[in-house]
Amino acid sequence: MAPGEKIKAKIKKNLPVKGPQAPTIKELMRWYCLNTNTHGCRRIVVSRGRLRRLLWILFTLTAVALIFWQCALLILSFYTVSVSIKVHFQKLDFPAVTICNINPYKYSAVRDLLADLEQETRAALKTLYGFPEITSRKRRESESWRSASEGSGSKFLNLVPLLAFNQSERNKARDFLTGRKRKVSGSIIHKASDVMHGHESKEVVGFQLCSNDTSDCAVYTFSSGVNAIREWYKLHYMNIMAQVSLEKKINMSYSAEELLVNCFFDGVSCDARNFTLFHHPMYGNCYTFNNRQNETVLSTSMGGSEYGLQVILHINEEEYNPFLVSSTGAKVIVHRQDEYPFIEDVGTEIETAMATSIGMHLTESFKLSEPYSQCTEDGSEVPIQNIYNASYSLQICLHSCFQAKMVEKCGCAQYSKPLPPKVNYCNYQQHPNWMYCFYQLHQAFVREELGCQSVCREACSFKEWSLTTSLAQWPSEVSEKWLLSVLTWDQSQQIKKKLNKTDLAKLLIFYKDLNQRSIMESPANSIEMLLSNIGGQLGLWMSCSVVCVIEIIEVFFIDSLSIIARHQWHKAKEWWARRQAPACPEAPPRSPQGQVNPVLELDDDLPTFTSALCLPPAPGAQVPGTPPPKYNTLRLERTFSSQLTDTQVPPESPES
């Protein structure tokens, strides 16, 4: 190494580096480690020995990884909620109570409309089960098929044929109408039975639905013939009733005076005027107590059965449709005043000749919306039109979505739900293909292929009444005579017969206590808590603070990028200078004009101003050596050109 280069290297090594002014990133990192407050980085530089330095590097990197891991967990768990449950005692508003008779319409009023359907239903039942006096199965089937074909044209069996399937024969079925075997094409969908059998049967009963061109069919089978007949009857029944006007259907169903025999609320007598008519396509006339249409919402001041709603219902079993419903009683649902009562989904059935007590506990839930959950406040974010005159709920969204799909794909609305504007019920005359379309669409809805479950959201706030039901025999044997006589006398204007215990049902709905439970969600974290937790992690693992984080950002991003940009700029300038400079012949090398002075190789020499500035040498220039000494200057001159007068020596005498 040349002497000048060695001097500059020594100076460069001993001079302190000034942060952003460092010429390289390595020197910038060295300066950061010597000046930062994070002790791990300092120990990496000042430690002696490779092993110790390597250990400090591992410790520092591990601490940094733990900081990133803990901070990532804190950020990911930022949008979490904490649930608090509050129980407080106060006077509670009584919910709305909707009561429906299980039988939607009086059988005497709809018998003429259903005469043909019932005739074919009886023929189908005879084909399936026969009669006890017919012992021969072959004779029973032949006679029943003949009696079925001799009916009134078998309009309903031709439209939706009933079939008997033998498990040993695939793609073949026996037609109830003709008694002949026929090929069955299309998908076969089996539905579970709600009737238990005491023996195993190799035959299943179902019906076939086809599109208009009969090219696409689907067969729905049931392991119980009772379920198959009831489902087949229900399809045609609802289609027939869909063609009847609403006013006429209301008149064919039960009035409030016929359904309600007696009423008490909070110890005060009530009557039919306290109930609001609500017509349901599946349950006929239903009546809602404490509806939102009233001026004020009723409340209860005490818990217990004496301070709730007590009603005695006249079920009137003689007017029941034998093929539509197989149980006797009423259905009750407890809901909010602004909520649509989905009786067919969440209704509670009450029995006749029984006193049904329903104790309630009120729970009010409040959930946080986005970004904590996907719930909605009022359903405005959900792209589904609410066709119900009620506040938003998840059930309303799902039913509205299914209705929209019905109108889109089938051209009509489902018969058992309210109608959107300018949309008709499905029926044979206007939509001959509605049965097949409805069943196919319903299967797609159950399999979540319509996308309704992914579009609809849960409501952020809702009230829920948890119900506890208990039963007791009513009326008792000792009080049956006088109680039925008095109730008959009370209902003499509406009922022209003596009441039986099987025609009546007693219902009690009350709060068990006035303890309202509120479930509220609140943010588990805040910005202040997140920053403090991150600061705690930085201090725990790296003894670092917010100033250190700012310093890291400055050094590792701003200063490093500036150094890289400066180097690239110098390279670009040098490249541009070389490109613009004219070509010239190379100068011959010159011989050194001096000798190296070994004295200048001492390490203790102080740096010069020029070398301290780390100025680069000129291109192609050589560091001059030390010129050889002039030995003539070391000679002692005895004679001088001029001397001062006071230093002159007197001339020697000739004698000396």
Side-chain angles (χ1 to χ4, degrees):
M1 180 184 293
E5 296 289 341
K6 196 171 184 180
I7 294 173
K8 290 197 295 182
K10 187 68 175 178
I11 295 172
K12 186 176 180 181
K13 182 178 180 181
N14 294 332
L15 284 179
V17 179
K18 296 182 179 180
Q21 289 77 28
T24 61
I25 295 180
K26 181 180 179 181
E27 295 178 1
L28 177 65
M29 296 298 106
R30 183 171 179 269
W31 172 85
Y32 168 76
C33 293
L34 290 174
N35 292 276
T36 185
N37 290 329
T38 54
H39 304 295
C41 297
R42 181 188 294 272
R43 297 298 302 174
I44 293 175
V45 177
V46 301
S47 296
R48 302 237 178 218
R50 293 184 178 180
L51 179 60
R52 183 174 297 181
R53 185 174 298 177
L54 179 61
L55 290 176
W56 275 108
I57 290 174
L58 293 177
F59 292 156
T60 304
L61 293 179
T62 303
V64 172
L66 290 173
I67 288 175
F68 278 107
W69 176 51
Q70 293 292 332
C71 292
L73 292 180
L74 290 174
I75 294 174
L76 291 177
S77 63
F78 180 74
Y79 291 113
T80 56
V81 297
S82 61
V83 180
S84 60
I85 300 177
K86 297 181 180 180
V87 179
H88 43 88
F89 181 85
Q90 63 180 11
K91 187 177 181 179
L92 298 178
D93 292 337
F94 201 79
V97 180
T98 299
I99 304 173
C100 305
N101 197 325
I102 292 180
N103 185 53
Y105 305 104
K106 290 179 285 188
Y107 187 63
S108 59
V110 299
R111 182 180 299 169
D112 295 337
L113 297 174
L114 306 176
D116 295 339
L117 177 60
E118 289 187 0
Q119 184 176 359
E120 294 191 31
T121 304
R122 288 189 173 90
L125 288 173
K126 185 177 180 181
T127 303
L128 182 61
Y129 292 106
F131 294 97
E133 64 267 21
I134 301 177
T135 56
S136 174
R137 178 178 176 85
K138 183 179 296 185
R139 179 184 173 189
R140 182 180 66 207
E141 291 180 353
S142 61
E143 290 186 3
S144 60
W145 292 328
R146 184 171 63 254
S147 62
S149 60
E150 292 174 356
S152 57
S154 300
K155 175 180 65 175
F156 300 100
L157 286 173
N158 280 326
L159 183 64
V160 182
L162 279 168
L163 306 173
F165 295 84
N166 195 321
Q167 296 182 0
S168 60
E169 298 179 356
R170 294 185 178 182
N171 300 327
K172 288 185 179 181
R174 186 178 299 275
D175 196 326
F176 272 44
L177 182 62
T178 62
R180 300 175 182 176
K181 290 186 178 181
R182 51 182 292 186
K183 291 184 178 180
V184 177
S185 60
S187 59
I188 298 178
I189 302 171
H190 183 74
K191 293 195 172 185
S193 171
D194 58 358
V195 178
M196 301 300 295
H197 285 276
H199 64 279
E200 294 183 359
S201 175
K202 295 183 179 181
E203 280 193 346
V204 294
V205 182
F207 52 83
Q208 185 180 36
L209 295 176
C210 298
S211 58
N212 289 336
D213 54 3
T214 67
S215 61
D216 190 10
C217 297
V219 178
Y220 295 87
T221 62
F222 303 81
S223 56
S224 170
V226 174
N227 289 346
I229 295 295
R230 284 185 57 193
E231 189 72 16
W232 178 84
Y233 180 89
K234 186 178 178 181
L235 282 176
H236 298 290
Y237 168 84
M238 294 307 300
N239 181 76
I240 294 173
M241 297 306 299
Q243 304 175 38
V244 181
S245 64
L246 179 61
E247 182 179 359
K248 188 175 181 180
K249 286 191 291 187
I250 292 177
N251 295 329
M252 290 189 299
S253 186
Y254 300 91
S255 64
E257 290 76 11
E258 292 174 338
L259 181 63
L260 302 170
V261 179
N262 200 349
C263 176
F264 275 92
F265 175 74
D266 203 8
V268 180
S269 178
C270 55
D271 53 20
R273 292 173 296 181
N274 299 101
F275 290 81
T276 305
L277 174 64
F278 165 69
H279 186 81
H280 193 278
M282 292 289 294
Y283 292 95
N285 290 348
C286 301
Y287 297 93
T288 303
F289 176 77
N290 195 25
N291 196 11
R292 61 178 177 176
Q293 295 180 1
N294 298 332
E295 296 180 357
T296 58
V297 177
L298 300 177
S299 60
T300 180
S301 57
M302 293 289 292
S305 59
E306 297 295 328
Y307 299 93
L309 176 65
Q310 303 181 28
V311 292
I312 298 177
L313 304 176
H314 180 218
I315 303 302
N316 196 5
E317 187 178 2
E318 292 182 357
E319 290 287 351
Y320 269 47
N321 189 324
F323 300 109
L324 183 64
V325 291
S326 58
S327 58
T328 305
K331 257 198 169 182
V332 180
I333 181 173
V334 177
H335 56 94
R336 294 186 307 178
Q337 278 74 20
D338 59 348
E339 185 179 3
Y340 183 85
F342 289 99
I343 306 168
E344 69 275 21
D345 297 336
V346 292
T348 301
E349 294 186 355
I350 61 175
E351 302 180 34
T352 58
M354 288 287 179
T356 304
S357 299
I358 300 178
M360 300 183 298
H361 276 295
L362 174 60
T363 301
E364 196 169 7
S365 300
F366 300 93
K367 300 183 65 177
L368 294 176
S369 58
E370 292 183 350
Y372 296 95
S373 67
Q374 297 296 323
C375 69
T376 177
E377 294 290 344
D378 54 359
S380 58
E381 305 91 346
V382 180
I384 300 296
Q385 181 184 0
N386 185 357
I387 63 174
Y388 297 84
N389 187 21
S391 60
Y392 177 87
S393 66
L394 180 61
Q395 281 185 310
I396 283 181
C397 181
L398 291 175
H399 284 291
S400 299
C401 179
F402 186 76
Q403 286 286 0
K405 298 297 182 181
M406 283 286 297
V407 175
E408 176 186 353
K409 299 182 179 297
C410 305
C412 58
Q414 188 182 356
Y415 52 82
S416 61
K417 297 295 183 295
L419 294 178
K422 301 180 180 179
V423 176
N424 295 324
Y425 279 127
C426 295
N427 55 67
Y428 292 136
Q429 285 73 18
Q430 296 181 357
H431 306 283
N433 196 35
W434 78 268
M435 285 186 179
Y436 174 78
C437 182
F438 166 73
Y439 264 79
Q440 293 293 327
L441 200 64
H442 186 266
Q443 291 296 323
F445 179 79
V446 173
R447 294 191 300 264
E448 299 185 2
E449 296 177 357
L450 299 181
C452 295
Q453 286 81 357
S454 59
V455 172
C456 294
R457 301 182 183 180
E458 188 178 1
C460 292
S461 60
F462 54 91
K463 291 182 179 180
E464 184 179 10
W465 285 269
S466 57
L467 308 180
T468 303
T469 305
S470 59
L471 299 176
Q473 185 178 356
W474 181 89
S476 61
E477 293 183 2
V478 296
S479 61
E480 178 180 348
K481 293 183 179 180
W482 75 266
L483 186 61
L484 294 178
S485 300
V486 173
L487 292 177
T488 302
W489 184 82
D490 290 339
Q491 291 293 105
S492 59
Q493 295 180 357
Q494 300 295 332
I495 303 172
K496 306 301 181 181
K497 67 171 186 175
K498 184 178 179 180
L499 294 176
N500 297 320
K501 62 185 301 183
T502 56
D503 292 331
L504 300 175
K506 186 176 181 180
L507 174 65
L508 297 91
I509 301 179
F510 55 92
Y511 280 111
K512 285 187 173 182
D513 49 49
L514 299 184
N515 292 331
Q516 178 182 354
R517 186 174 64 172
S518 299
I519 302 176
M520 305 182 66
E521 290 184 350
S522 59
N525 299 307
S526 61
I527 297 296
E528 295 80 6
M529 293 180 61
L530 179 64
L531 293 178
S532 63
N533 290 334
I534 292 177
Q537 295 297 326
L538 292 175
L540 175 64
W541 300 107
M542 290 288 292
S543 67
C544 188
S545 63
V546 177
V547 178
C548 295
V549 175
I550 298 175
E551 187 181 69
I552 291 173
I553 296 174
E554 179 189 12
V555 171
F556 285 87
F557 292 96
I558 300 177
D559 295 342
S560 299
L561 292 178
S562 63
I563 290 174
I564 295 174
R566 186 164 61 243
H567 284 185
Q568 296 297 327
W569 173 251
H570 287 316
K571 288 182 180 180
K573 287 179 64 177
E574 291 177 1
W575 174 81
W576 181 256
R578 289 195 302 268
R579 186 175 181 181
Q580 296 296 327
C584 58
E586 296 183 358
R590 295 181 295 175
S591 59
Q593 296 181 356
Q595 300 179 1
V596 177
N597 189 356
V599 180
L600 297 179
E601 296 183 3
L602 297 176
D603 294 337
D604 297 333
D605 287 349
L606 296 177
T608 61
F609 177 77
T610 304
S611 61
L613 292 178
C614 300
L615 297 176
Q622 293 183 350
V623 179
T626 305
K630 295 181 179 181
Y631 296 99
N632 293 333
T633 58
L634 301 177
R635 296 177 182 177
L636 181 60
E637 294 292 340
R638 298 195 178 193
T639 58
F640 297 92
S641 57
S642 61
Q643 292 183 345
L644 298 176
T645 55
D646 55 352
T647 60
Q648 290 181 355
V649 180
E652 298 180 355
S653 61
E655 288 86 4
S656 62

